[in-house]
Amino acid sequence: MKTKKYLVLVATLVLACCVALLVGCGKGGNEPSGTDNTPAPANTTPTPTDTTPNYNTTITYQGKEYSFNLLTPGTITVATSPDFPPFDNLDGEAYVGFDMEIMNAVAAELGLQVKYTTVNFDAIITAVAAGAPADMAASGITISEERKQEVDFTSPYYSSNLAIIVTGDSSFKSAADLEGKKIGSQSGTTGQAWAEENIKGLESITFTTVPDGLNALKAGKVDAFVTDLPVAQNMVASSFSDCKIIQEIATGDEFGFAVNKANPELTAAISAALATLEQNGTLDKLETKWLSDYTSEA
Ligand code: ARG
């Protein structure tokens, strides 16, 4: 009996303390900002009325501050479809190519780490827009108005054209010969869009990767394959030497890196770093290293 009463008393006291604490908190939170002169701690959880996003990474680059959210604070996670040499490729486990070297240089400029992850090209814009599994994408992505509805783009770092590839023994000479034929392309690319808009009566057949499409071309499953010119030249000069380019298509596509729309200052920081790399000759050097054997001229 005695202990029971005692317990009730303790419980009541504990409850009273909790209520007091809660009321105290509520009061503090409801106070209009500005009446309190103590600076807010760096990592406060925003109240519902707080419109400033709680970014997890802040950098200062060339005297300017940039704040953004990264899946891993301090590390930019970059999606790529590594089937697109000389832009995006795998060398064993390592991601290599023009895009990777530019992104590595950008990250070094900004004092951030960079990590790559594979996403099929036709899912890459959606992945960036969803914010997972990557913060952004570097994948030979052509900047387009349609894609700009879903993601932001950095300033462009390369201009490219398209090309039509056929087998070495094919008698097709240009797009005009391909009407009503089976035309291959990588799913979700500008190559697919161009073929579907410009080759009359085609049967459009898409592939997850560029090599998949070129193997299908060799196997006679498609009559031609459309992809970006430097990639077509790279493939024909290496693994697909039994294929040839019959037509170059001047599209003036511009490549940019795609970034999640909720991270405008990440886009701005990358564009600032790209401007530096352009001015100090790094972009030219990398272009010579990766693309001098190929031309983007149609
Ligand atoms: N430039 C083309 C586009 O944006 C093709 C890009 C394909 N990229 C890749 N890594 N497979 O649609």
Side-chain angles (χ1 to χ4, degrees):
M1 205 57 166
K2 226 177 174 188
T3 29
K4 213 175 184 189
K5 248 190 196 163
Y6 176 73
L7 273 179
V8 169
L9 188 72
V10 168
T12 315
L13 272 175
V14 168
L15 197 71
C17 282
C18 286
V19 169
L21 268 175
L22 277 175
V23 169
C25 279
K27 259 195 196 146
N30 287 336
E31 254 169 44
S33 57
T35 57
D36 185 358
N37 282 333
T38 42
N43 247 333
T44 46
T45 318
T47 59
T49 50
D50 193 345
T51 49
T52 323
N54 196 18
Y55 292 118
N56 67 22
T57 303
T58 296
I59 56 161
T60 303
Y61 181 60
Q62 296 173 339
K64 245 190 107 179
E65 215 176 73
Y66 298 89
S67 292
F68 37 81
N69 270 315
L70 297 176
L71 289 168
T72 306
T75 298
I76 315 178
T77 306
V78 181
T80 192
S81 181
D83 51 58
F84 208 62
F87 298 97
D88 318 297
N89 208 4
L90 279 176
D91 182 3
E93 301 266 283
Y95 289 85
V96 295
F98 183 54
D99 287 348
M100 277 74 245
E101 279 213 46
I102 297 177
M103 262 320 295
N104 294 346
V106 162
E109 276 292 314
L110 301 178
L112 296 166
Q113 303 296 308
V114 54
K115 187 175 85 192
Y116 296 95
T117 184
T118 296
V119 175
N120 289 339
F121 190 78
D122 62 2
I124 229 162
I125 297 288
T126 325
V128 172
D135 298 306
M136 58 169 291
S139 202
I141 306 173
T142 302
I143 300 171
S144 75
E145 288 309 314
E146 204 184 324
R147 290 172 178 167
K148 276 189 196 168
Q149 309 291 312
E150 292 181 72
V151 293
D152 285 341
F153 281 99
T154 63
S155 49
Y157 61 88
Y158 190 72
S159 346
S160 177
N161 287 310
L162 293 173
I164 304 176
I165 310 171
V166 297
T167 51
D169 56 4
S170 163
S171 58
F172 299 127
K173 298 243 151 15
S174 74
D177 299 333
L178 294 169
E179 285 187 14
K181 297 280 186 281
K182 291 188 175 117
I183 311 299
S185 59
Q186 183 175 27
S187 179
T189 61
T190 50
Q192 178 188 356
W194 184 87
E196 291 175 0
E197 274 157 36
N198 293 281
I199 301 178
K200 280 198 209 102
L202 85 164
E203 186 184 332
S204 179
I205 302 180
T206 61
F207 299 88
T208 304
T209 71
V210 172
D212 284 353
L214 291 174
N215 282 319
L217 177 69
K218 279 175 44 166
K221 292 182 183 144
V222 294
D223 298 298
F225 188 83
V226 184
T227 189
D228 297 60
L229 177 60
V231 177
Q233 290 170 322
N234 177 289
M235 295 278 179
V236 165
S238 55
S239 325
F240 296 94
S241 53
D242 41 3
C243 296
K244 63 185 181 192
I245 293 171
I246 52 165
Q247 191 181 339
E248 299 178 3
I249 303 146
T251 55
D253 278 11
E254 297 220 290
F255 290 180
F257 300 123
V259 184
N260 186 285
K261 279 189 178 293
N263 259 346
E265 293 189 19
L266 177 60
T267 313
I270 294 171
S271 290
L274 283 173
T276 306
L277 298 172
E278 165 107 65
Q279 277 151 27
N280 69 18
T282 306
L283 278 189
D284 273 350
K285 225 174 66 197
L286 293 179
E287 196 170 318
T288 306
K289 172 176 172 185
W290 290 97
L291 285 137
S292 58
D293 289 348
Y294 318 112
T295 164
S296 57
E297 309 293 320

